[in-house]
Amino acid sequence: MAELSYRDAVARGLAQEMERDERVVLIGEDVAKAGGVFKTTVGLYERFGPRRVRDTPISEEAITGMIMGAAMNGLRPVGELMFSDFLATCWDIVTNQIAKTRYMTGGQVELPLVIRTANGGGARFGGQHSQSLENWAMAVPGLKVVAPATPADVIGLMAAAIRDPDPVIVFEHKGLFANKDEVPDGEIVDTLGTARVLRRGDDVTIVALAAMVHTALDAARILGGLGISAEVIDLRSLVPLDTTTLLDSVAKTTRLATVEENPRLVGWGAEISSLVAEEAFWDLDGPIVRITTPHIPLPAAGELEDLAIPSVEQVVDAVKAMSG
Amino acid sequence: MDIPVDIRLEMYDGMVRARYFEQRAHDLFMQGLVKGTTHLGLGQEAVAAGFAVAMRPGDMSYCTYRGHNHTLLRGAPMDALMGELMGRSNGICEGKGGSMHLTDISKGAMGSYAIVGAHLPVAAGAAWAAQLRGTDQVSVCFFGDGTTNIGAFHEAVNIAAVWDLPVIFVCENNLYMEYTAISEVIAVDHPAADRAAAYGLEGIIVDGNDADAVYEAAVAAYERARAGDGPSLIEALTYRHKGHSRADPGKYRPDEEVEEWLKRDPIDIYRERLLSLGVTEEILNEIEAKALAEVDAATEASKNAPPPDTAVLLTDVWADGGSSWRN
Ligand SMILES: Cc1ncc(C[n+]2csc(CCOP(=O)(O)OP(=O)(O)O)c2C)c(N)n1
Ligand SMILES: [Mg+2]
């Protein structure tokens, strides 16, 4: 065990897989010599050389299109999009090309590729560099989607994503890069599509993802002091989705709240809610509650951004109200 | 071209105001009073001044996240820009835009765009509207060297050329795109000028640290646009004095290169030129003192302004002023 930051975990996860499999390569803007604008790829260029770790022009369509082509021809490429907001500039390649190809070719084409991207708000970057876009990706058949909340999960899910035979988008949360945690030594390989119960509880299930996991955990601690026993589930993976862990928890607690950083409409929590309403309606003792950012772009000013993104107090208040 | 002295003084004034404004923005960032990020155009002021001064009211400027200079020099009030950087209620975008999105539509500062390349087609569209409506407006789009590698650059320049649009594409070639030298990611020497031929345009290169040279190129391009002769693509060679953003020390740049360019500071160059043309030291000192006082006042006003009213969080998603999505 050693303490590792979420940021360094990205590089460790990538290095682990590059060491193991020489088909794994990394491209993106400033990922090589500069070690990434978020310093998430530091040391990889020095360790694996300029053939396998390569800076690209500012050309997101080329980055995503190239990893698609490379995946069609024997590599297991990882492409970095510096900010998830830039997915919009290459959404054709990601959704019409990468996501649909296996299906539309009757299974002839396999695309074992990974898109890594920095996601989420809290940094006062304003509306075009702060979005939580995992639900965009979740909506597209053919894309797998993970969003780790802890350093160990970054490594494990990165490895799983790289080894997976399908395209996976790994959303790394900007607000978590500096977070440190104990991480086991040696190889870490996780499983896509597995949620994790981070805190056991009996009264209410709180489901969260990425940075909101920490908000939910803080809220659960406070709720504990108020006599409300909250179970916190870190979803970790949106596609595939671990419905078993979710439904088992709701069956026990009979109440469900989601904590989402994305704007309200069609956030992943809506899918979770509909699933529980369809498959566990009779387990519920009250309405499902979704705590989300309002349906607005994120503002830049600190006071406004803090008000927009779900806070610990907001979660405590909402869960108190539904448990009362 | 014989540039009149009042125009020259206007350019000097613009460069000095932009310089002091951004130096202060940098200090405030270091003090934690400007949050998030800043992309300073320190060193690139001559490009902003040359074009802004040659522009007419009604002309439209589109710029990037490195857009403080351009927005200020189109006439946006300095205190409201400083307030926006500091996220205060006096901010030009109510604190909702921040450093990367400074906009003052009333002055023709049509926005700062933070997704590389996005605003080139938008600027072309504004020029198209001017063409259709028969106004004599010109749309000017500023962007960096690195932007020439994104599809939107090529799509916009091509359509503007084919449709003879009154738009001027200005590539501020500061040699770097974030931490990577442009020379490492293009197969030609000049990211914009060497691509111009592909769109039937002349490859124009100007010394972006010489306000007069920029001004002359700007005037020629405006004339061409207003005459209905179509777009121009101008590459202005310049250099940013600081790192790409925030506290980036810019260590990926060789020391000698930085030193060389610091010696070619556009404001120093211009000050000397004005003196040699007979403008007195007093006049220049006065411009500088006034600019500093303006920056001080803008800083004070923004420090004293309260944070944004929390109610604005939920305003202005829709034309009705609100953000409601249900009845
Ligand atoms: C589509 C897109 N890709 C990447 C980025 C991240 N990014 C912001 S600025 C920048 C460098 C741009 O370089 P250049 O066009 O030369 O402009 P400069 O910053 O030098 O003014 C990059 C890569 C972005 N904002 N948008
Ligand atoms: Mg540049």
Side-chain angles (χ1 to χ4, degrees):
Chain A
M1 288 287 236
E3 208 176 58
L4 192 71
S5 70
Y6 187 100
R7 176 191 325 278
D8 293 339
V10 174
R12 180 166 144 194
L14 290 166
Q16 172 188 301
E17 294 308 299
M18 294 185 79
E19 197 64 68
R20 170 180 177 269
D21 183 348
E22 63 177 27
R23 294 171 302 171
V24 179
V25 295
L26 171 70
I27 63 170
E29 295 157 21
D30 284 321
V31 298
K33 285 190 201 138
V37 296
F38 295 108
K39 298 284 170 237
T40 47
T41 55
V42 169
L44 297 177
Y45 172 78
E46 291 74 13
R47 184 157 162 202
F48 298 103
R51 280 166 52 82
R52 294 179 68 196
V53 182
R54 193 151 187 193
D55 288 324
T56 66
I58 308 173
S59 307
E60 281 76 10
E61 284 184 281
I63 294 169
T64 48
M66 296 260 296
I67 60 171
M68 172 171 170
M72 288 173 108
N73 192 24
L75 296 186
R76 299 184 86 86
V78 179
E80 175 181 301
L81 299 177
M82 196 185 286
F83 285 77
S84 64
D85 312 71
F86 310 160
L87 272 167
T89 67
C90 52
W91 203 229
D92 168 58
I93 306 275
V94 175
T95 64
N96 282 325
Q97 316 308 331
I98 289 173
K100 296 184 174 70
T101 291
R102 181 191 289 274
Y103 184 84
M104 286 171 51
T105 60
Q108 295 179 68
V109 178
E110 180 146 299
L111 295 175
L113 62 84
V114 171
I115 296 171
R116 303 172 34 242
T117 190
N119 195 48
R124 317 322 187 194
F125 285 169
Q128 295 179 349
H129 282 73
S130 306
Q131 299 173 87
S132 289
L133 297 179
E134 54 275 28
N135 49 314
W136 288 13
M138 185 188 192
V140 182
L143 298 177
K144 293 180 178 172
V145 183
V146 299
T150 65
D153 279 1
V154 166
I155 301 171
L157 291 173
M158 187 77 70
I162 291 172
R163 296 184 194 188
D164 196 83
D166 287 312
V168 184
I169 306 191
V170 179
F171 287 91
E172 298 161 7
H173 199 289
K174 294 194 281 291
L176 299 179
F177 281 137
N179 279 21
K180 289 192 171 157
D181 206 352
E182 291 294 322
V183 172
D185 301 326
E187 187 178 86
I188 307 178
V189 187
D190 214 316
T191 310
L192 302 183
T194 53
R196 191 165 281 155
V197 179
L198 293 183
R199 184 189 167 101
R200 297 274 167 199
D202 299 317
D203 299 335
V204 55
T205 299
I206 305 178
V207 182
L209 190 73
M212 290 299 108
V213 168
H214 303 280
T215 304
L217 283 171
D218 289 348
R221 273 188 281 276
I222 295 172
L223 288 162
L226 302 172
I228 298 170
S229 161
E231 179 144 308
V232 176
I233 296 180
D234 175 0
L235 227 39
R236 307 195 317 142
S237 172
L238 291 179
V239 185
L241 186 64
D242 181 355
T243 56
T244 309
T245 299
L246 175 72
L247 294 171
D248 285 353
S249 177
V250 172
K252 177 178 67 171
T253 63
T254 74
R255 290 181 198 273
L256 172 66
T258 66
V259 189
E260 303 160 59
E261 196 177 315
N262 44 263
R264 167 90 194 190
L265 299 189
V266 208
W268 55 260
E271 194 55 49
I272 300 286
S273 303
S274 107
L275 181 96
V276 169
E278 273 185 57
E279 298 187 20
F281 185 74
W282 305 109
D283 289 337
L284 289 173
D285 275 335
I288 297 166
V289 171
R290 289 181 61 208
I291 303 149
T292 74
T293 289
H295 206 64
I296 55 169
L298 276 180
E303 284 83 356
L304 296 178
E305 191 179 30
D306 287 344
L307 204 61
I309 297 174
S311 63
V312 175
E313 300 74 54
Q314 237 180 305
V315 176
V316 169
D317 289 348
V319 173
K320 250 179 16 194
M322 71 192 278
S323 315
Chain B
M1 185 191 289
D2 209 11
I3 303 173
V5 156
D6 57 330
I7 295 281
R8 289 197 146 114
L9 288 177
E10 210 185 315
M11 287 198 281
Y12 187 70
D13 180 68
M15 288 195 287
V16 170
R17 290 175 66 235
R19 172 68 54 94
Y20 289 169
F21 175 79
E22 286 207 306
Q23 282 175 336
R24 183 64 53 85
H26 176 75
D27 294 346
L28 293 169
F29 185 86
M30 291 307 182
Q31 293 164 33
L33 291 171
V34 169
K35 303 234 167 54
T37 186
T38 54
H39 301 76
L40 303 176
L42 290 170
Q44 304 184 196
E45 295 91 347
V47 182
F51 274 92
V53 170
M55 251 180 251
R56 291 188 197 159
D59 288 342
M60 300 167 284
S61 312
Y62 286 84
C63 57
T64 70
Y65 48 86
R66 202 178 301 290
H68 305 164
N69 295 349
H70 297 293
T71 311
L72 180 69
L73 297 199
R74 283 313 304 282
M78 191 186 282
D79 52 351
L81 297 183
M82 196 64 95
E84 190 64 27
L85 298 194
M86 292 172 69
R88 316 307 289 176
S89 55
N90 65 332
I92 189 109
C93 303
E94 300 181 326
K96 288 154 92 166
S99 159
M100 294 201 282
H101 300 291
L102 299 181
T103 302
D104 187 350
I105 295 290
S106 72
K107 297 291 198 297
M110 308 300 285
S112 306
Y113 297 75
I115 306 293
V116 163
H119 63 315
L120 280 86
V122 182
W128 174 46
Q131 186 187 57
L132 274 185
R133 293 170 55 230
T135 68
D136 69 347
Q137 294 163 290
V138 176
S139 173
V140 186
C141 185
F142 302 95
F143 53 92
D145 43 280
T147 305
T148 61
N149 288 326
I150 204 151
F153 165 84
H154 299 273
E155 296 186 23
V157 176
N158 181 61
I159 199 168
V162 174
W163 290 17
D164 286 328
L165 298 179
V167 56
I168 305 172
F169 297 106
V170 184
C171 175
E172 296 183 61
N173 181 359
N174 60 13
L175 306 185
Y176 290 84
M177 23 166 274
E178 295 211 333
Y179 312 150
T180 300
I182 185 68
S183 57
E184 290 183 27
V185 291
I186 51 173
V188 291
D189 290 336
H190 289 283
D194 287 349
R195 266 95 168 246
Y199 305 107
L201 297 175
E202 187 191 343
I204 302 170
I205 297 175
V206 297
D207 179 350
N209 280 18
D210 181 340
D212 287 344
V214 174
Y215 179 82
E216 283 175 20
V219 168
Y222 288 125
E223 276 170 10
R224 179 179 150 87
R226 286 195 227 278
D229 293 338
S232 301
L233 175 58
I234 298 173
E235 180 171 328
L237 304 180
T238 184
Y239 202 72
R240 55 169 156 75
H241 287 179
K242 298 264 178 209
H244 168 73
S245 67
R246 293 186 272 172
D248 165 31
K251 284 294 169 223
Y252 41 87
R253 307 190 300 186
D255 290 343
E256 318 79 69
E257 179 186 287
V258 178
E259 269 165 44
E260 253 338 283
W261 280 94
L262 285 177
K263 276 190 232 147
R264 301 207 48 248
D265 184 319
I267 296 183
D268 294 346
I269 292 176
Y270 213 58
R271 199 176 200 283
E272 270 172 43
R273 181 165 317 149
L274 290 173
L275 288 173
S276 76
L277 288 169
V279 176
T280 64
E281 187 80 46
E282 291 74 64
I283 291 178
L284 299 180
N285 289 346
E286 196 188 311
I287 286 175
E288 290 152 13
K290 248 183 65 192
L292 197 56
E294 187 187 8
V295 172
D296 285 340
T299 308
E300 274 319 293
S302 302
K303 277 186 181 168
N304 295 332
D309 182 346
T310 54
V312 307
L313 181 70
L314 299 179
T315 62
D316 284 330
V317 171
W318 310 122
D320 68 7
S323 60
S324 172
W325 48 270
R326 60 184 292 178
N327 58 18

